[in-house]
Amino acid sequence: MSHHHAAPTHSKFWTPGVVALAFVAAVGLVAIIARYIGGIGYVSNLSTARPWGLWIGVDVASGVALAAGGFTTAFLAHILGKHYYEPVVRPALLTAMLGYTFVVLGLLVDIGRSWAIWKPMIYWNFNSVLFEVAMCVMFYLNVLYIEFLPMVIERFKGRVRLPGAPDALNRAIDSLLALADKVLSKIMWVFIIAGVVLSCMHQSSLGALMLIAPTKLHPLWYTPILPLLFLTSAIAVGYPMVVFEATLATTSLKLDSEMKILTPLTRFTVFLLGIYLALKVGDMVIRKTYVYLLDGTSQTNAFLIEMVIGVLAPWLMLLSPKVRQSRRWLFIACTMVVGGVLLNRVNVFVVGYRPPVSETNYFPSIGEVAITAGLIAGLMLIYRFLVTHLPVLNKPEKEVIA
Amino acid sequence: MGISRRNFFKILSVAGAATATARTPARAWESQAPSEAYGCIVDLTRCIGCRKCEQACNEVNKLPPPDRSFEDLTVLDRKRRPDEKTFTVVNRYYSGRIDERDQLIPTFVKLQCMHCQDPACASACIVGALSKQENGAVNYDVSKCIGCRYCMVACPFEIPAYEYHDPITPRVMKCTFCYERVANEGKLPGCAEICPVEAITFGRRDTLLKVARDRIKENPGRYVDHIYGEHEAGGTSWMYLSAQPFEKLGFVTLPDHPMPRLAETIQHSLYSYLWSPIVLFGMLSGIMWAFRGKGERQEDHEGGNL
Ligand code: SF4
Ligand code: SF4
Ligand code: SF4
């Protein structure tokens, strides 16, 4: 594949923003240590009635959904062959790779026996939706690492200079990299397709997780098509997520704004988000759940915000070419889509989850928030580190007036 | 755009045909309930709220000593739930019935795992650490458990509890149906054995259902005509008889079909023999092949491309 433009940014790493992120990550680390000393109960508000909370809703479910940019851009650029969009594939891939890595880190914190996380590999339960999700996430994470490898190879191929190492060793590593490069470029198509297939599988299955608890999930969200809704919303959020991070990254690193790619990219979003919107509304009409809409409970309010601000409004905005061409408005609309999908996952796993027997109020504890925030900050730090040193982002072609 | 529509539809129809042939007719979902399951009937009209079953359960399962003594009946002033140190609790309800001296008559309700016939917890468990045994017990194998707590999400009775304060080796805690005692020692469950008024009857589930129906028939007016657990969530091994409607006694109203049915049906119809991922992989390879080299940028015709 030809990525003539991607290059390490080599920008300054320790900016004030980065220092703030490092602080948040450090606080999260302290909370994680507390979790491994005092137990999950020590840092969280989880209970018998509320076995899953913020961590599953944000770190895992939202993390997976918002990493959808990886497989949706790969589909567009590499499977449909629209190479015009090539420049956003690498950053989206990096986000997906980091996103899933942090999903797994979040899971490690959340599951009671972190050290036993490998057990699903030998104890299989084909009835369990979670088993399928876990298998797909595991394979997909490996696929992502493989898809990311060319960026590492590209960076070091032909310039391996291990300090103090004999020349022969350096040359050996170099030829190994060259070989890997050749092999990878021949078989990469398998991983690209596998990545899309695995993504479709577990994005939808994440929605199927709640199907086993019909009495606990609020009827506004509980529907047999929950897996389909999760899949379509993940596909729909892929490109807005790309716009969201591209705008943030290009602003913060003072790169090209890439609007000439982002604007046409979001044309697809009008269509994809439209499908999701239609499915959501159609499902509501068919199951007659609109009767709950004006209940005024926190559930219905959360649903209204999710649908109106998170789906309907940005969809209407994106319909207008003016919005798609304005850097600022496109960013706003895409942020709303991203927020809407994030809120949807939180609603399904946290807000809409109401155990009927021991109805308890749940609000995440400070410890839970600290860990989630810390993981996100850690992810952003590594992202910044990697784009500084590896050819991920596009080299500015010209100075932009931001 | 370099899309050849004819190619595209050709691929779609090939893929469609593949789908039609590869798809094994998804077998209808079938219950996995053991035919010889044992169970218990709890007769709420007999229970006197003495908490002896709580004590026996604590002893036979070697659970930690309770905060307040089992003799202390003021514990009943508050509604409790089974938790990680208590597999069974008795709660007191006043449903408005009064006796001849105008005193409110209490009803006591013993709670524990229902040992569902098609348990949601077992279907959900990522590693199969929970499983329905031939004798009816839903058994927990801590050596497989990873602590994901999906079983707790799935259980419609909100029974499994978790040792949240153990940092490294927490366990899921719930009534074991005294599996060891029943299966290997031929004894009754601790709670059923000790009950002084025989409020808990242990036996084969089908026999118990007959017993329960006979009690309802032979004592007109004593019971509501409902055996809780006969159909709830597809049926449970523990069942209840009551004089008051169950909704008034804290029992959750559940659908009659087993909880895992929908999710398992979707899982198996999509993923048996991995047919759908394979078809999708084939379709995508076809599309990729059809669109190869049709990019909109010139330089992507250089070598090394997909
Ligand atoms: S009551 Fe809950 S924990 Fe017990 S068998 Fe049924 S689903 Fe499992
Ligand atoms: S917590 Fe343990 S028993 Fe429960 S679903 Fe997870 S692995 Fe299975
Ligand atoms: S069957 Fe055994 S474990 Fe279950 S409540 Fe009775 S004594 Fe306790």
Side-chain angles (χ1 to χ4, degrees):
Chain A
M1 271 159 274
S2 41
H3 296 276
H4 296 302
H5 305 300
T9 65
H10 290 304
S11 34
K12 190 165 150 257
F13 189 74
W14 288 105
T15 60
V18 172
V19 174
L21 281 181
F23 177 75
V24 176
V27 173
L29 192 62
V30 172
I32 290 177
I33 293 171
R35 176 253 177 267
Y36 283 105
I37 293 174
I40 296 172
Y42 181 57
V43 292
S44 79
N45 284 343
L46 298 176
S47 63
T48 305
R50 281 282 173 177
W52 286 356
L54 183 74
W55 294 336
I56 294 292
V58 175
D59 309 10
V60 177
S62 305
V64 167
L66 298 186
F71 83 97
T72 47
T73 52
F75 176 76
L76 189 64
H78 295 158
I79 293 181
L80 289 187
K82 295 190 175 296
H83 297 285
Y84 181 71
Y85 297 102
E86 203 77 54
V88 294
V89 174
R90 283 192 168 194
L93 182 61
L94 175 63
T95 322
M97 183 194 87
L98 291 178
Y100 277 85
T101 307
F102 277 79
V103 163
V104 173
L105 291 182
L107 267 177
L108 280 174
V109 173
D110 182 82
I111 67 171
R113 302 178 159 228
S114 316
W115 48 270
I117 195 163
W118 53 272
K119 285 189 175 173
M121 282 192 270
I122 51 166
Y123 300 119
W124 298 350
N125 179 8
F126 291 116
N127 287 333
S128 170
V129 179
L130 191 61
F131 173 74
E132 191 231 309
V133 172
M135 287 297 118
C136 288
V137 167
M138 184 187 78
F139 283 118
Y140 187 46
L141 187 59
N142 287 298
V143 166
L144 284 169
Y145 287 145
I146 293 171
E147 288 186 78
F148 189 71
L149 264 185
M151 284 175 247
V152 181
I153 294 176
E154 188 182 312
R155 173 75 175 79
F156 294 107
K157 197 174 61 172
R159 21 185 158 161
V160 178
R161 306 261 182 288
L162 291 178
D167 243 17
L169 183 65
N170 278 335
R171 247 177 291 131
I173 296 179
D174 238 350
S175 41
L176 213 66
L177 286 183
L179 181 72
D181 195 24
K182 217 185 244 137
V183 173
L184 275 177
S185 66
K186 285 257 154 25
I187 58 169
M188 194 50 91
W189 68 274
V190 176
F191 294 106
I192 288 168
I193 297 177
V196 176
V197 172
L198 288 166
S199 292
C200 289
M201 286 171 79
H202 71 269
Q203 293 284 3
S204 57
S205 294
L206 265 179
L209 279 178
M210 276 298 155
L211 292 184
I212 202 163
T215 55
K216 295 185 179 177
L217 185 58
H218 192 286
L220 279 173
W221 292 281
Y222 187 91
T223 156
I225 65 162
L226 206 49
L228 184 62
L229 292 177
F230 265 52
L231 180 63
T232 46
S233 57
I235 293 176
V237 82
Y239 303 145
M241 190 63 195
V242 167
V243 173
F244 178 75
E245 17 152 339
T247 311
L248 284 186
T250 50
T251 309
S252 146
L253 296 164
K254 305 198 176 47
L255 303 173
D256 244 1
S257 70
E258 299 195 325
M259 282 304 285
K260 62 182 193 310
I261 295 171
L262 301 183
T263 298
L265 189 62
T266 44
R267 260 190 354 224
F268 300 105
T269 304
V270 175
F271 173 66
L272 298 170
L273 194 64
I275 293 182
Y276 175 55
L277 181 65
L279 283 172
K280 272 285 242 197
V281 174
D283 174 65
M284 192 170 75
V285 171
I286 288 172
R287 291 185 309 112
K288 301 200 174 53
T289 49
Y290 45 76
V291 297
Y292 300 99
L293 281 184
L294 297 175
D295 276 1
T297 61
S298 48
Q299 277 84 24
T300 51
N301 290 340
F303 183 84
L304 283 173
I305 297 175
E306 174 198 325
M307 286 309 294
V308 176
I309 304 184
V311 186
L312 186 60
W315 183 70
L316 292 174
M317 286 165 73
L318 288 175
L319 281 179
S320 140
K322 278 219 184 69
V323 169
R324 297 203 303 269
Q325 277 149 16
S326 142
R327 184 164 191 247
R328 166 190 305 238
W329 284 102
L330 186 67
F331 178 70
I332 294 175
C334 288
T335 308
M336 285 161 77
V337 178
V338 169
V341 171
L342 187 124
L343 183 59
N344 172 259
R345 300 311 193 252
V346 172
N347 281 344
V348 168
F349 289 100
V350 183
V351 179
Y353 186 84
R354 300 179 314 166
V357 184
S358 40
E359 175 63 71
T360 49
N361 285 320
Y362 161 84
F363 200 82
S365 68
I366 297 188
E368 283 172 84
V369 175
I371 291 181
T372 296
L375 286 173
I376 296 171
L379 183 148
M380 291 167 76
L381 284 178
I382 299 182
Y383 181 95
R384 192 169 168 110
F385 177 82
L386 289 180
V387 297
T388 312
H389 295 286
L390 291 178
V392 176
L393 295 180
N394 256 18
K395 226 192 311 214
E397 287 166 1
K398 53 177 193 289
E399 282 311 309
V400 274
I401 322 108
Chain B
M1 283 192 280
I3 307 176
S4 145
R5 258 163 230 287
R6 191 143 21 94
N7 262 348
F8 186 67
F9 287 117
K10 203 162 65 197
I11 293 161
L12 274 195
S13 55
V14 168
T19 316
T21 43
R23 175 155 187 180
T24 45
R27 271 179 301 122
W29 185 88
E30 271 169 36
S31 166
Q32 302 290 317
S35 51
E36 310 214 329
Y38 283 81
C40 283
I41 279 275
V42 185
D43 192 330
L44 302 181
T45 67
R46 294 184 183 178
C47 178
I48 53 171
C50 65
R51 302 187 63 213
K52 288 273 189 300
C53 53
E54 288 189 33
Q55 181 165 15
C57 178
N58 177 281
E59 281 158 17
V60 301
N61 289 295
K62 303 193 181 60
L63 295 170
D67 296 339
R68 282 156 80 185
S69 142
F70 288 111
E71 262 97 76
D72 183 353
L73 294 184
T74 61
V75 167
L76 297 172
D77 292 344
R78 208 174 49 85
K79 301 271 187 298
R80 295 170 299 151
R81 299 282 309 161
D83 60 31
E84 72 276 17
K85 294 179 185 138
T86 337
F87 292 166
T88 185
V89 295
V90 178
N91 282 327
R92 183 181 57 210
Y93 287 86
Y94 292 108
S95 56
R97 264 197 332 157
I98 44 174
D99 65 8
E100 52 276 16
R101 278 170 298 151
D102 277 354
Q103 300 287 319
L104 283 169
I105 303 177
T107 304
F108 299 99
V109 180
K110 174 190 186 298
L111 296 173
Q112 73 295 305
C113 170
M114 301 289 284
H115 298 276
C116 305
Q117 288 289 75
D118 286 290
C121 59
S123 167
C125 177
I126 180 168
V127 287
L130 290 154
S131 54
K132 181 80 172 170
Q133 305 294 314
E134 277 307 302
N135 72 358
V138 174
N139 205 6
Y140 171 61
D141 178 356
V142 69
S143 70
K144 293 182 180 172
C145 179
I146 67 166
C148 63
R149 305 188 298 285
Y150 188 29
C151 51
M152 302 168 64
V153 171
C155 172
F157 299 99
E158 294 162 41
I159 289 299
Y162 202 60
E163 293 182 317
Y164 280 112
H165 288 276
D166 182 330
I168 307 296
T169 56
R171 291 169 296 173
V172 170
M173 301 298 274
K174 70 166 195 72
C175 155
T176 59
F177 205 172
C178 290
Y179 182 76
E180 289 295 316
R181 282 169 64 93
V182 174
N184 302 336
E185 299 168 32
K187 291 194 201 154
L188 291 176
C191 54
E193 185 182 79
I194 201 139
C195 180
V197 291
E198 287 182 44
I200 309 169
T201 314
F202 174 86
R204 271 188 53 167
R205 187 174 185 268
D206 41 8
T207 324
L208 287 175
L209 277 170
K210 279 196 209 92
V211 169
R213 276 192 213 106
D214 287 348
R215 275 194 214 166
I216 294 176
K217 208 179 317 146
E218 281 156 24
N219 302 280
R222 184 177 169 108
Y223 299 102
V224 291
D225 189 16
H226 179 180
I227 306 169
Y228 189 92
E230 181 179 9
H231 299 300
E232 273 76 11
T236 55
S237 283
W238 278 67
M239 295 172 288
Y240 291 83
L241 282 176
S242 164
Q244 287 88 41
F246 286 99
E247 311 84 71
K248 289 194 179 164
L249 303 173
F251 285 82
V252 57
T253 310
L254 291 173
D256 280 353
H257 63 78
M259 296 290 127
R261 193 176 66 190
L262 175 62
E264 285 187 8
T265 306
I266 294 181
Q267 277 310 90
H268 293 301
S269 47
L270 276 180
Y271 298 120
S272 52
Y273 307 106
L274 292 176
W275 73 266
S276 68
I278 292 171
V279 168
L280 185 58
F281 193 99
M283 273 170 66
L284 292 175
S285 323
I287 295 176
M288 197 176 195
W289 186 77
F291 287 127
R292 77 198 183 287
K294 294 224 175 94
E296 288 136 292
R297 230 174 53 185
Q298 280 312 304
E299 54 266 55
D300 58 50
H301 289 290
E302 300 170 6
N305 216 331
L306 307 161

